[in-house]
Amino acid sequence: MWRNTSTGWGWTSILLHWLSALAFVGLFVLGWWMTGLGYYDAWYNLAPWWHRSLGMLVFAVTLGRLVWRAVQPTPSLPGSRLERLAAHVGHIALYALMLLVLVSGYLISTAEGAGIDVFGLFQVPALMTGLPNQASLAGTVHWYAALALMVLAGGHGLAAFKHHWVDRHDTLMRMLTPRYTRARRRGGSASH
């Protein structure tokens, strides 16, 4: 039940998908909120620390998710050839934007040469520093990439609902139940 098959996602992929979605939305909301904090606000230093710490953990999970996806089968997609191509391109764009948000956030935080303290547990070293306008340019990329990621993720969610309610495909159910198949939905037995 933890591994993928050609017909459905395993628990590992399902949990990584939903935890990533929750983490990226949470980080986006936290990032947007903290930019409006004043210097004397109690969260002025604490919110960015949480944002950076969570961001580094999400970075590690995202790299693990990419490795897992590379070594596991991907369930086949329903729909027309054009819909399957759009889904494939959309997934590539989602992963590219996730990586762009995470790398640019790292470059903002390490621009002055200091590493990133992750919840006081360990330090992520600053590997690339001193680039011209590093913090400013990375900040611009970080903001627009995060915004684009939220828009694309919203479209991804709407497409899943469309497949579920309009097309009556099992796409959404497969991301909620490990190795879900249409045969199981109808009450039949599904082979794993």
Side-chain angles (χ1 to χ4, degrees), residues 18 94 150-163 165 172:
W18 292 110
L94 282 168
M150 291 300 104
V151 169
L152 190 57
H156 176 70
L158 289 174
F161 289 131
K162 181 249 185 203
H163 284 302
W165 283 310
L172 180 60

Side-chain angles (χ1 to χ4, degrees), residues 40 47 68-69 122:
Y40 295 105
W68 182 255
R69 185 165 175 122
F122 60 91

Side-chain angles (χ1 to χ4, degrees), residues 154-189:
H156 176 70
L158 289 174
F161 289 131
K162 181 249 185 203
H163 284 302
H164 185 72
W165 283 310
V166 176
D167 301 333
R168 302 285 187 206
H169 294 157
D170 60 1
T171 309
L172 180 60
M173 291 307 298
R174 290 192 307 179
M175 193 45 76
L176 295 172
T177 307
R179 301 194 200 166
Y180 182 91
T181 64
R182 192 169 291 281
R184 186 186 299 173
R185 182 178 183 187
R186 291 185 190 136
S189 61

Side-chain angles (χ1 to χ4, degrees), residues 108-160:
I108 295 166
S109 300
T110 59
E112 300 298 318
I116 300 171
D117 173 51
V118 180
F119 293 117
L121 301 172
F122 60 91
Q123 191 93 357
V124 177
L127 301 174
M128 184 180 282
T129 62
L131 299 174
N133 299 319
Q134 180 174 331
S136 178
L137 291 173
T140 300
V141 169
H142 190 67
W143 167 247
Y144 286 109
L147 198 56
L149 178 60
M150 291 300 104
V151 169
L152 190 57
H156 176 70
L158 289 174

Side-chain angles (χ1 to χ4, degrees), residues 33 37-48:
W33 173 74
L37 294 174
Y39 181 77
Y40 295 105
D41 194 298
W43 282 89
Y44 184 77
N45 290 311
L46 192 56

